[in-house]
Amino acid sequence: MTDASSTAAALSVESVTHAFGPKKALDDVSLIAPAGSFTALVGQNGAGKTTLFSLITRLYDNRSGSIQVLGHDVRKQPAKALSQLGVVFQARTLDLELSVIQNLLYHAALHGIGRREAKTRAEAALGRVGLEARAKDKVRALSGGQMRRVEIARALLHGPSFLLLDEPTTGLDIGSRRTLLEEVRRLIKEDGIGVLWATHLTDEIAAADRVVVLHKGRVMANGAPQELCARAKTDDVGAAFMAIVGEDAAEPRKVPA
C-alpha cells in the first residue's frame, strides 16, 4: 500500500466508529486524504460515506477515535478545523429564486465576510468555476451541473484548503459529470486544494487518485487504483471494487491508512 504518512495530511481519520442505536454505520474507520490531491471515497449506497462526512463537518459528534483537518481536531478545535473545510453536500442547498451572486453573498455573510470583500471573493470564485457570466442569473435557470459548480464556488468563499464533496455528480448527465470532475481537478492542480470526493461510480476515478473503499461501514481497501487492481487481479477499477467488497467481511480488515 502507498505510505500516505509521508505526505502531508489534509484530512486524517483514525479509528472512528459511529452507531445509530444498535446499528453501526461506521466500524473502526481510518483513512488519510493527502493535501493537494484527489481522494475518492468509493462505496455503494449505505456504505457510510454520508455518515463520515457528517462527522467530519460536526453535524454528528464523533465520540470515538479522532478526526483532524490540517492538524486541527474537529472536537477540540472545531472553529479552526471547520474554517479549513469547504463542503458540497449531496442534497442541493441553493435558493432557486435568488441569483447566483445573491446566493454567494448570503453565504459569505454567514461567514462574517463584509459585503465589499464578499463581492470580490464571489466574483473570483465564479471565475474559478467558469460561471462569471451567469452571476446575475437566477439559480433556477441553471443546469444541474452549473448548480453544482455554483455550490463549489460557494464552498471556496472563505478560502478553505480542503473540499468535501458528497456524491456531487448525482443526477447529472455524462457531459456535466465530466465537466465537474475537470473543474475540481483543475482546482487541485492550480490552487493546491485537497479533495475528498465521495462516489459510488468507479469511472470517476483517475490513475493518479488515491482510493478508499468503504463497505458496510468498514474500510476494505486504501491506496492507488493500480494497487486495488493488483489485489483483485484485474485491470479494471470497477471490477476490482466489486471483487473487494464481495470478499468475506465477517472480520474487520485492518488496512494501513
Side-chain angles (χ1 to χ4, degrees):
M1 294 293 176
T2 301
D3 181 9
S5 64
S6 62
T7 306
L11 172 70
S12 175
V13 178
E14 184 175 354
S15 302
V16 169
T17 296
H18 193 78
F20 298 100
K23 180 178 175 56
K24 281 186 179 179
L26 297 173
D27 188 359
D28 195 26
V29 166
S30 296
L31 63 91
I32 284 176
S37 68
F38 188 104
T39 300
L41 178 66
V42 187
Q44 298 166 326
N45 292 336
K49 304 187 299 296
T50 297
T51 298
L52 179 59
F53 272 44
S54 296
L55 290 166
I56 295 169
T57 56
R58 295 291 294 158
L59 292 177
Y60 300 154
D61 182 28
N62 63 301
R63 298 182 180 180
S64 71
S66 69
I67 300 172
Q68 294 189 357
V69 180
L70 277 297
H72 302 297
D73 189 286
V74 300
R75 291 196 78 192
K76 298 175 182 177
Q77 302 168 295
K80 288 183 178 180
L82 296 179
S83 71
Q84 297 295 324
L85 281 180
V87 185
V88 176
F89 288 108
Q90 183 174 351
R92 291 177 183 150
T93 56
L94 297 171
D95 189 320
L96 300 181
E97 299 307 322
L98 295 180
S99 69
V100 169
I101 193 73
Q102 285 172 332
N103 269 274
L104 269 58
L105 293 177
Y106 175 74
H107 184 76
L110 295 178
H111 279 275
I113 302 171
R115 188 170 181 83
R116 180 177 296 179
E117 175 66 15
K119 190 172 186 296
T120 299
R121 292 192 188 193
E123 290 172 348
L126 288 174
R128 290 162 80 183
V129 298
L131 288 176
E132 60 268 47
R134 305 299 300 270
K136 295 182 179 180
D137 293 350
K138 281 192 175 183
V139 169
R140 184 177 295 282
L142 304 181
S143 68
Q146 289 169 334
M147 288 184 191
R148 282 302 194 203
R149 287 155 64 192
V150 171
E151 289 182 312
I152 291 173
R154 183 179 62 181
L156 294 171
L157 285 177
H158 62 287
S161 300
F162 191 68
L163 290 179
L164 297 175
L165 297 105
D166 188 6
E167 298 275 5
T169 59
T170 296
L172 301 186
D173 59 38
I174 293 174
S176 296
R177 285 174 55 205
R178 183 184 301 113
T179 298
L180 188 63
L181 275 161
E182 288 173 352
E183 292 288 352
V184 170
R185 294 186 189 283
R186 184 175 58 81
L187 288 172
I188 294 170
K189 182 178 180 180
E190 295 181 358
D191 300 332
I193 291 174
V195 169
L196 182 63
W197 176 284
T199 185
H200 62 279
L201 302 171
T202 56
D203 64 349
E204 295 179 350
I205 299 169
D209 296 342
R210 182 173 184 83
V211 181
V212 178
V213 175
L214 190 65
H215 182 61
K216 295 182 178 179
R218 296 172 179 167
V219 173
M220 303 296 290
N222 191 343
Q226 57 267 33
E227 293 174 327
L228 273 64
C229 289
R231 171 174 160 180
K233 298 181 174 58
T234 179
D235 293 328
D236 181 73
V237 175
F241 169 76
M242 293 308 299
I244 289 168
V245 302
E247 293 175 357
D248 183 6
E251 294 298 327
R253 181 181 299 276
K254 295 294 183 180
V255 182

